[in-house]
mmCIF file with all atom_site columns, all heavy atoms in Angstrom:
data_model
loop_
_atom_site.group_PDB
_atom_site.id
_atom_site.type_symbol
_atom_site.label_atom_id
_atom_site.label_alt_id
_atom_site.label_comp_id
_atom_site.label_asym_id
_atom_site.label_entity_id
_atom_site.label_seq_id
_atom_site.pdbx_PDB_ins_code
_atom_site.Cartn_x
_atom_site.Cartn_y
_atom_site.Cartn_z
_atom_site.occupancy
_atom_site.B_iso_or_equiv
_atom_site.pdbx_formal_charge
_atom_site.auth_seq_id
_atom_site.auth_comp_id
_atom_site.auth_asym_id
_atom_site.auth_atom_id
_atom_site.pdbx_PDB_model_num
ATOM 1   N N   . ALA B 1 1  ? 0.805   -1.150  -0.090  1.00 0.00 ? 1  ALA B N   1
ATOM 2   C CA  . ALA B 1 1  ? 0.019   -0.008  -0.027  1.00 0.00 ? 1  ALA B CA  1
ATOM 3   C C   . ALA B 1 1  ? 0.801   1.253   0.003   1.00 0.00 ? 1  ALA B C   1
ATOM 4   O O   . ALA B 1 1  ? 0.543   2.247   -0.684  1.00 0.00 ? 1  ALA B O   1
ATOM 5   C CB  . ALA B 1 1  ? -0.955  -0.048  1.186   1.00 0.00 ? 1  ALA B CB  1
ATOM 6   N N   . ASP B 1 2  ? 1.920   1.239   0.865   1.00 0.00 ? 2  ASP B N   1
ATOM 7   C CA  . ASP B 1 2  ? 2.878   2.362   0.798   1.00 0.00 ? 2  ASP B CA  1
ATOM 8   C C   . ASP B 1 2  ? 3.537   2.623   -0.580  1.00 0.00 ? 2  ASP B C   1
ATOM 9   O O   . ASP B 1 2  ? 3.666   3.816   -0.972  1.00 0.00 ? 2  ASP B O   1
ATOM 10  C CB  . ASP B 1 2  ? 3.961   2.217   1.851   1.00 0.00 ? 2  ASP B CB  1
ATOM 11  C CG  . ASP B 1 2  ? 3.377   2.364   3.282   1.00 0.00 ? 2  ASP B CG  1
ATOM 12  O OD1 . ASP B 1 2  ? 2.236   2.857   3.452   1.00 0.00 ? 2  ASP B OD1 1
ATOM 13  O OD2 . ASP B 1 2  ? 4.079   1.948   4.292   1.00 0.00 ? 2  ASP B OD2 1
ATOM 14  N N   . TRP B 1 3  ? 3.848   1.457   -1.226  1.00 0.00 ? 3  TRP B N   1
ATOM 15  C CA  . TRP B 1 3  ? 4.525   1.726   -2.558  1.00 0.00 ? 3  TRP B CA  1
ATOM 16  C C   . TRP B 1 3  ? 3.571   2.243   -3.525  1.00 0.00 ? 3  TRP B C   1
ATOM 17  O O   . TRP B 1 3  ? 3.950   3.171   -4.310  1.00 0.00 ? 3  TRP B O   1
ATOM 18  C CB  . TRP B 1 3  ? 5.085   0.336   -2.963  1.00 0.00 ? 3  TRP B CB  1
ATOM 19  C CG  . TRP B 1 3  ? 5.909   0.408   -4.210  1.00 0.00 ? 3  TRP B CG  1
ATOM 20  C CD1 . TRP B 1 3  ? 7.295   0.599   -4.319  1.00 0.00 ? 3  TRP B CD1 1
ATOM 21  C CD2 . TRP B 1 3  ? 5.540   0.276   -5.591  1.00 0.00 ? 3  TRP B CD2 1
ATOM 22  N NE1 . TRP B 1 3  ? 7.626   0.678   -5.680  1.00 0.00 ? 3  TRP B NE1 1
ATOM 23  C CE2 . TRP B 1 3  ? 6.569   0.487   -6.399  1.00 0.00 ? 3  TRP B CE2 1
ATOM 24  C CE3 . TRP B 1 3  ? 4.186   0.147   -6.072  1.00 0.00 ? 3  TRP B CE3 1
ATOM 25  C CZ2 . TRP B 1 3  ? 6.399   0.393   -7.718  1.00 0.00 ? 3  TRP B CZ2 1
ATOM 26  C CZ3 . TRP B 1 3  ? 4.098   0.051   -7.524  1.00 0.00 ? 3  TRP B CZ3 1
ATOM 27  C CH2 . TRP B 1 3  ? 5.206   0.223   -8.337  1.00 0.00 ? 3  TRP B CH2 1
ATOM 28  N N   . LEU B 1 4  ? 2.294   1.760   -3.504  1.00 0.00 ? 4  LEU B N   1
ATOM 29  C CA  . LEU B 1 4  ? 1.251   2.255   -4.495  1.00 0.00 ? 4  LEU B CA  1
ATOM 30  C C   . LEU B 1 4  ? 1.041   3.778   -4.180  1.00 0.00 ? 4  LEU B C   1
ATOM 31  O O   . LEU B 1 4  ? 0.846   4.476   -5.107  1.00 0.00 ? 4  LEU B O   1
ATOM 32  C CB  . LEU B 1 4  ? 0.080   1.428   -4.311  1.00 0.00 ? 4  LEU B CB  1
ATOM 33  C CG  . LEU B 1 4  ? 0.182   0.088   -4.957  1.00 0.00 ? 4  LEU B CG  1
ATOM 34  C CD1 . LEU B 1 4  ? -0.987  -0.794  -4.469  1.00 0.00 ? 4  LEU B CD1 1
ATOM 35  C CD2 . LEU B 1 4  ? 0.145   0.112   -6.449  1.00 0.00 ? 4  LEU B CD2 1
ATOM 36  N N   . ALA B 1 5  ? 1.018   4.097   -2.857  1.00 0.00 ? 5  ALA B N   1
ATOM 37  C CA  . ALA B 1 5  ? 0.860   5.596   -2.519  1.00 0.00 ? 5  ALA B CA  1
ATOM 38  C C   . ALA B 1 5  ? 1.968   6.369   -3.032  1.00 0.00 ? 5  ALA B C   1
ATOM 39  O O   . ALA B 1 5  ? 1.714   7.592   -3.445  1.00 0.00 ? 5  ALA B O   1
ATOM 40  C CB  . ALA B 1 5  ? 0.652   5.727   -0.966  1.00 0.00 ? 5  ALA B CB  1
ATOM 41  N N   . ALA B 1 6  ? 3.162   5.875   -2.999  1.00 0.00 ? 6  ALA B N   1
ATOM 42  C CA  . ALA B 1 6  ? 4.338   6.664   -3.371  1.00 0.00 ? 6  ALA B CA  1
ATOM 43  C C   . ALA B 1 6  ? 4.574   6.631   -4.963  1.00 0.00 ? 6  ALA B C   1
ATOM 44  O O   . ALA B 1 6  ? 5.341   7.422   -5.428  1.00 0.00 ? 6  ALA B O   1
ATOM 45  C CB  . ALA B 1 6  ? 5.581   6.091   -2.709  1.00 0.00 ? 6  ALA B CB  1
ATOM 46  N N   . ASN B 1 7  ? 3.786   5.728   -5.616  1.00 0.00 ? 7  ASN B N   1
ATOM 47  C CA  . ASN B 1 7  ? 3.873   5.646   -7.046  1.00 0.00 ? 7  ASN B CA  1
ATOM 48  C C   . ASN B 1 7  ? 2.518   5.693   -7.682  1.00 0.00 ? 7  ASN B C   1
ATOM 49  O O   . ASN B 1 7  ? 1.920   4.633   -8.128  1.00 0.00 ? 7  ASN B O   1
ATOM 50  C CB  . ASN B 1 7  ? 4.495   4.298   -7.503  1.00 0.00 ? 7  ASN B CB  1
ATOM 51  C CG  . ASN B 1 7  ? 5.997   4.305   -6.951  1.00 0.00 ? 7  ASN B CG  1
ATOM 52  O OD1 . ASN B 1 7  ? 6.886   4.764   -7.635  1.00 0.00 ? 7  ASN B OD1 1
ATOM 53  N ND2 . ASN B 1 7  ? 6.226   3.716   -5.839  1.00 0.00 ? 7  ASN B ND2 1
ATOM 54  N N   . PRO B 1 8  ? 1.841   6.828   -7.624  1.00 0.00 ? 8  PRO B N   1
ATOM 55  C CA  . PRO B 1 8  ? 0.425   7.028   -7.954  1.00 0.00 ? 8  PRO B CA  1
ATOM 56  C C   . PRO B 1 8  ? 0.152   6.578   -9.414  1.00 0.00 ? 8  PRO B C   1
ATOM 57  O O   . PRO B 1 8  ? -1.013  6.506   -9.748  1.00 0.00 ? 8  PRO B O   1
ATOM 58  C CB  . PRO B 1 8  ? 0.064   8.348   -7.553  1.00 0.00 ? 8  PRO B CB  1
ATOM 59  C CG  . PRO B 1 8  ? 1.371   9.198   -7.583  1.00 0.00 ? 8  PRO B CG  1
ATOM 60  C CD  . PRO B 1 8  ? 2.359   8.141   -7.166  1.00 0.00 ? 8  PRO B CD  1
ATOM 61  N N   . ASN B 1 9  ? 1.190   6.653   -10.282 1.00 0.00 ? 9  ASN B N   1
ATOM 62  C CA  . ASN B 1 9  ? 0.828   6.355   -11.685 1.00 0.00 ? 9  ASN B CA  1
ATOM 63  C C   . ASN B 1 9  ? 1.176   4.887   -11.994 1.00 0.00 ? 9  ASN B C   1
ATOM 64  O O   . ASN B 1 9  ? 0.961   4.466   -13.208 1.00 0.00 ? 9  ASN B O   1
ATOM 65  C CB  . ASN B 1 9  ? 1.778   7.231   -12.609 1.00 0.00 ? 9  ASN B CB  1
ATOM 66  C CG  . ASN B 1 9  ? 1.451   8.676   -12.413 1.00 0.00 ? 9  ASN B CG  1
ATOM 67  O OD1 . ASN B 1 9  ? 0.396   9.069   -12.348 1.00 0.00 ? 9  ASN B OD1 1
ATOM 68  N ND2 . ASN B 1 9  ? 2.472   9.441   -12.445 1.00 0.00 ? 9  ASN B ND2 1
ATOM 69  N N   . LYS B 1 10 ? 1.484   4.056   -11.067 1.00 0.00 ? 10 LYS B N   1
ATOM 70  C CA  . LYS B 1 10 ? 1.666   2.704   -11.274 1.00 0.00 ? 10 LYS B CA  1
ATOM 71  C C   . LYS B 1 10 ? 0.484   1.746   -10.946 1.00 0.00 ? 10 LYS B C   1
ATOM 72  O O   . LYS B 1 10 ? -0.287  2.181   -10.105 1.00 0.00 ? 10 LYS B O   1
ATOM 73  C CB  . LYS B 1 10 ? 2.856   2.275   -10.472 1.00 0.00 ? 10 LYS B CB  1
ATOM 74  C CG  . LYS B 1 10 ? 4.203   2.830   -10.739 1.00 0.00 ? 10 LYS B CG  1
ATOM 75  C CD  . LYS B 1 10 ? 4.739   2.532   -12.120 1.00 0.00 ? 10 LYS B CD  1
ATOM 76  C CE  . LYS B 1 10 ? 6.051   3.087   -12.401 1.00 0.00 ? 10 LYS B CE  1
ATOM 77  N NZ  . LYS B 1 10 ? 6.632   2.722   -13.741 1.00 0.00 ? 10 LYS B NZ  1
ATOM 78  N N   . ARG B 1 11 ? 0.388   0.683   -11.627 1.00 0.00 ? 11 ARG B N   1
ATOM 79  C CA  . ARG B 1 11 ? -0.609  -0.435  -11.407 1.00 0.00 ? 11 ARG B CA  1
ATOM 80  C C   . ARG B 1 11 ? -0.004  -1.736  -11.152 1.00 0.00 ? 11 ARG B C   1
ATOM 81  O O   . ARG B 1 11 ? 1.176   -1.939  -11.676 1.00 0.00 ? 11 ARG B O   1
ATOM 82  C CB  . ARG B 1 11 ? -1.810  -0.395  -12.480 1.00 0.00 ? 11 ARG B CB  1
ATOM 83  C CG  . ARG B 1 11 ? -2.596  0.745   -12.665 1.00 0.00 ? 11 ARG B CG  1
ATOM 84  C CD  . ARG B 1 11 ? -3.477  0.657   -13.853 1.00 0.00 ? 11 ARG B CD  1
ATOM 85  N NE  . ARG B 1 11 ? -4.491  1.628   -13.872 1.00 0.00 ? 11 ARG B NE  1
ATOM 86  C CZ  . ARG B 1 11 ? -4.386  2.960   -14.260 1.00 0.00 ? 11 ARG B CZ  1
ATOM 87  N NH1 . ARG B 1 11 ? -3.132  3.322   -14.623 1.00 0.00 ? 11 ARG B NH1 1
ATOM 88  N NH2 . ARG B 1 11 ? -5.282  3.702   -14.250 1.00 0.00 ? 11 ARG B NH2 1
ATOM 89  N N   . VAL B 1 12 ? -0.554  -2.576  -10.392 1.00 0.00 ? 12 VAL B N   1
ATOM 90  C CA  . VAL B 1 12 ? 0.012   -3.851  -10.085 1.00 0.00 ? 12 VAL B CA  1
ATOM 91  C C   . VAL B 1 12 ? -0.966  -4.962  -10.446 1.00 0.00 ? 12 VAL B C   1
ATOM 92  O O   . VAL B 1 12 ? -2.153  -4.829  -10.453 1.00 0.00 ? 12 VAL B O   1
ATOM 93  C CB  . VAL B 1 12 ? 0.498   -3.982  -8.671  1.00 0.00 ? 12 VAL B CB  1
ATOM 94  C CG1 . VAL B 1 12 ? 1.494   -3.002  -8.270  1.00 0.00 ? 12 VAL B CG1 1
ATOM 95  C CG2 . VAL B 1 12 ? -0.772  -3.784  -7.758  1.00 0.00 ? 12 VAL B CG2 1
ATOM 96  N N   . THR B 1 13 ? -0.356  -6.116  -10.702 1.00 0.00 ? 13 THR B N   1
ATOM 97  C CA  . THR B 1 13 ? -1.125  -7.323  -10.879 1.00 0.00 ? 13 THR B CA  1
ATOM 98  C C   . THR B 1 13 ? -0.801  -8.363  -9.729  1.00 0.00 ? 13 THR B C   1
ATOM 99  O O   . THR B 1 13 ? 0.384   -8.663  -9.588  1.00 0.00 ? 13 THR B O   1
ATOM 100 C CB  . THR B 1 13 ? -0.835  -7.998  -12.248 1.00 0.00 ? 13 THR B CB  1
ATOM 101 O OG1 . THR B 1 13 ? -1.224  -7.033  -13.324 1.00 0.00 ? 13 THR B OG1 1
ATOM 102 C CG2 . THR B 1 13 ? -1.703  -9.326  -12.468 1.00 0.00 ? 13 THR B CG2 1
ATOM 103 N N   . ILE B 1 14 ? -1.833  -8.856  -9.177  1.00 0.00 ? 14 ILE B N   1
ATOM 104 C CA  . ILE B 1 14 ? -1.659  -9.967  -8.062  1.00 0.00 ? 14 ILE B CA  1
ATOM 105 C C   . ILE B 1 14 ? -1.922  -11.315 -8.710  1.00 0.00 ? 14 ILE B C   1
ATOM 106 O O   . ILE B 1 14 ? -3.000  -11.351 -9.353  1.00 0.00 ? 14 ILE B O   1
ATOM 107 C CB  . ILE B 1 14 ? -2.507  -9.707  -6.910  1.00 0.00 ? 14 ILE B CB  1
ATOM 108 C CG1 . ILE B 1 14 ? -2.277  -8.355  -6.278  1.00 0.00 ? 14 ILE B CG1 1
ATOM 109 C CG2 . ILE B 1 14 ? -2.422  -10.718 -5.807  1.00 0.00 ? 14 ILE B CG2 1
ATOM 110 C CD1 . ILE B 1 14 ? -3.238  -7.795  -5.185  1.00 0.00 ? 14 ILE B CD1 1
ATOM 111 N N   . THR B 1 15 ? -0.965  -12.228 -8.521  1.00 0.00 ? 15 THR B N   1
ATOM 112 C CA  . THR B 1 15 ? -1.279  -13.564 -9.117  1.00 0.00 ? 15 THR B CA  1
ATOM 113 C C   . THR B 1 15 ? -1.368  -14.578 -7.954  1.00 0.00 ? 15 THR B C   1
ATOM 114 O O   . THR B 1 15 ? -0.422  -14.585 -7.111  1.00 0.00 ? 15 THR B O   1
ATOM 115 C CB  . THR B 1 15 ? -0.085  -13.976 -10.059 1.00 0.00 ? 15 THR B CB  1
ATOM 116 O OG1 . THR B 1 15 ? 0.123   -12.813 -11.116 1.00 0.00 ? 15 THR B OG1 1
ATOM 117 C CG2 . THR B 1 15 ? -0.333  -15.287 -10.633 1.00 0.00 ? 15 THR B CG2 1
ATOM 118 N N   . GLY B 1 16 ? -2.468  -15.313 -8.045  1.00 0.00 ? 16 GLY B N   1
ATOM 119 C CA  . GLY B 1 16 ? -2.677  -16.425 -6.946  1.00 0.00 ? 16 GLY B CA  1
ATOM 120 C C   . GLY B 1 16 ? -2.081  -17.696 -7.414  1.00 0.00 ? 16 GLY B C   1
ATOM 121 O O   . GLY B 1 16 ? -2.140  -17.981 -8.665  1.00 0.00 ? 16 GLY B O   1
ATOM 122 N N   . HIS B 1 17 ? -1.514  -18.456 -6.525  1.00 0.00 ? 17 HIS B N   1
ATOM 123 C CA  . HIS B 1 17 ? -0.886  -19.784 -6.834  1.00 0.00 ? 17 HIS B CA  1
ATOM 124 C C   . HIS B 1 17 ? -1.393  -20.744 -5.796  1.00 0.00 ? 17 HIS B C   1
ATOM 125 O O   . HIS B 1 17 ? -1.693  -20.400 -4.673  1.00 0.00 ? 17 HIS B O   1
ATOM 126 C CB  . HIS B 1 17 ? 0.604   -19.724 -6.767  1.00 0.00 ? 17 HIS B CB  1
ATOM 127 C CG  . HIS B 1 17 ? 1.195   -18.798 -7.898  1.00 0.00 ? 17 HIS B CG  1
ATOM 128 N ND1 . HIS B 1 17 ? 1.630   -19.295 -9.103  1.00 0.00 ? 17 HIS B ND1 1
ATOM 129 C CD2 . HIS B 1 17 ? 1.678   -17.500 -7.700  1.00 0.00 ? 17 HIS B CD2 1
ATOM 130 C CE1 . HIS B 1 17 ? 2.115   -18.204 -9.800  1.00 0.00 ? 17 HIS B CE1 1
ATOM 131 N NE2 . HIS B 1 17 ? 2.116   -17.171 -8.920  1.00 0.00 ? 17 HIS B NE2 1
ATOM 132 N N   . THR B 1 18 ? -1.575  -21.976 -6.271  1.00 0.00 ? 18 THR B N   1
ATOM 133 C CA  . THR B 1 18 ? -1.985  -23.137 -5.294  1.00 0.00 ? 18 THR B CA  1
ATOM 134 C C   . THR B 1 18 ? -1.041  -24.225 -5.361  1.00 0.00 ? 18 THR B C   1
ATOM 135 O O   . THR B 1 18 ? -0.038  -24.200 -6.098  1.00 0.00 ? 18 THR B O   1
ATOM 136 C CB  . THR B 1 18 ? -3.330  -23.750 -5.766  1.00 0.00 ? 18 THR B CB  1
ATOM 137 O OG1 . THR B 1 18 ? -3.118  -24.406 -7.023  1.00 0.00 ? 18 THR B OG1 1
ATOM 138 C CG2 . THR B 1 18 ? -4.425  -22.565 -5.984  1.00 0.00 ? 18 THR B CG2 1
ATOM 139 N N   . ASP B 1 19 ? -1.211  -25.149 -4.435  1.00 0.00 ? 19 ASP B N   1
ATOM 140 C CA  . ASP B 1 19 ? -0.420  -26.444 -4.476  1.00 0.00 ? 19 ASP B CA  1
ATOM 141 C C   . ASP B 1 19 ? -1.196  -27.299 -5.529  1.00 0.00 ? 19 ASP B C   1
ATOM 142 O O   . ASP B 1 19 ? -2.075  -26.961 -6.156  1.00 0.00 ? 19 ASP B O   1
ATOM 143 C CB  . ASP B 1 19 ? -0.243  -27.034 -3.176  1.00 0.00 ? 19 ASP B CB  1
ATOM 144 C CG  . ASP B 1 19 ? -1.607  -27.413 -2.460  1.00 0.00 ? 19 ASP B CG  1
ATOM 145 O OD1 . ASP B 1 19 ? -2.619  -27.672 -3.181  1.00 0.00 ? 19 ASP B OD1 1
ATOM 146 O OD2 . ASP B 1 19 ? -1.646  -27.266 -1.207  1.00 0.00 ? 19 ASP B OD2 1
ATOM 147 N N   . THR B 1 20 ? -0.736  -28.591 -5.614  1.00 0.00 ? 20 THR B N   1
ATOM 148 C CA  . THR B 1 20 ? -1.247  -29.455 -6.541  1.00 0.00 ? 20 THR B CA  1
ATOM 149 C C   . THR B 1 20 ? -2.352  -30.401 -6.046  1.00 0.00 ? 20 THR B C   1
ATOM 150 O O   . THR B 1 20 ? -2.882  -31.127 -6.657  1.00 0.00 ? 20 THR B O   1
ATOM 151 C CB  . THR B 1 20 ? -0.071  -30.491 -6.992  1.00 0.00 ? 20 THR B CB  1
ATOM 152 O OG1 . THR B 1 20 ? 0.570   -30.976 -5.948  1.00 0.00 ? 20 THR B OG1 1
ATOM 153 C CG2 . THR B 1 20 ? 0.843   -29.678 -7.942  1.00 0.00 ? 20 THR B CG2 1
ATOM 154 N N   . SER B 1 21 ? -2.909  -29.981 -4.857  1.00 0.00 ? 21 SER B N   1
ATOM 155 C CA  . SER B 1 21 ? -3.997  -30.720 -4.291  1.00 0.00 ? 21 SER B CA  1
ATOM 156 C C   . SER B 1 21 ? -5.264  -30.330 -5.142  1.00 0.00 ? 21 SER B C   1
ATOM 157 O O   . SER B 1 21 ? -5.513  -29.170 -5.511  1.00 0.00 ? 21 SER B O   1
ATOM 158 C CB  . SER B 1 21 ? -4.330  -30.278 -2.842  1.00 0.00 ? 21 SER B CB  1
ATOM 159 O OG  . SER B 1 21 ? -3.237  -30.609 -2.027  1.00 0.00 ? 21 SER B OG  1
ATOM 160 N N   . GLY B 1 22 ? -6.145  -31.294 -5.575  1.00 0.00 ? 22 GLY B N   1
ATOM 161 C CA  . GLY B 1 22 ? -7.368  -31.007 -6.266  1.00 0.00 ? 22 GLY B CA  1
ATOM 162 C C   . GLY B 1 22 ? -7.174  -30.900 -7.754  1.00 0.00 ? 22 GLY B C   1
ATOM 163 O O   . GLY B 1 22 ? -6.014  -31.206 -8.325  1.00 0.00 ? 22 GLY B O   1
ATOM 164 N N   . GLN B 1 23 ? -8.231  -30.631 -8.537  1.00 0.00 ? 23 GLN B N   1
ATOM 165 C CA  . GLN B 1 23 ? -8.225  -30.717 -9.977  1.00 0.00 ? 23 GLN B CA  1
ATOM 166 C C   . GLN B 1 23 ? -7.575  -29.407 -10.442 1.00 0.00 ? 23 GLN B C   1
ATOM 167 O O   . GLN B 1 23 ? -7.670  -28.371 -9.907  1.00 0.00 ? 23 GLN B O   1
ATOM 168 C CB  . GLN B 1 23 ? -9.590  -30.867 -10.515 1.00 0.00 ? 23 GLN B CB  1
ATOM 169 C CG  . GLN B 1 23 ? -10.203 -32.176 -10.083 1.00 0.00 ? 23 GLN B CG  1
ATOM 170 C CD  . GLN B 1 23 ? -9.583  -33.314 -10.689 1.00 0.00 ? 23 GLN B CD  1
ATOM 171 O OE1 . GLN B 1 23 ? -9.095  -33.481 -11.748 1.00 0.00 ? 23 GLN B OE1 1
ATOM 172 N NE2 . GLN B 1 23 ? -9.228  -34.358 -9.693  1.00 0.00 ? 23 GLN B NE2 1
ATOM 173 N N   . ALA B 1 24 ? -6.928  -29.456 -11.612 1.00 0.00 ? 24 ALA B N   1
ATOM 174 C CA  . ALA B 1 24 ? -6.287  -28.204 -12.304 1.00 0.00 ? 24 ALA B CA  1
ATOM 175 C C   . ALA B 1 24 ? -7.263  -27.098 -12.328 1.00 0.00 ? 24 ALA B C   1
ATOM 176 O O   . ALA B 1 24 ? -6.892  -25.986 -12.019 1.00 0.00 ? 24 ALA B O   1
ATOM 177 C CB  . ALA B 1 24 ? -5.546  -28.651 -13.524 1.00 0.00 ? 24 ALA B CB  1
#
């Protein structure tokens, strides 16, 4: 949040990852 506040012209992408339990 601090980095985004200090860089108001930037956008970010959050990527979620899982383990291999369950179906793909």
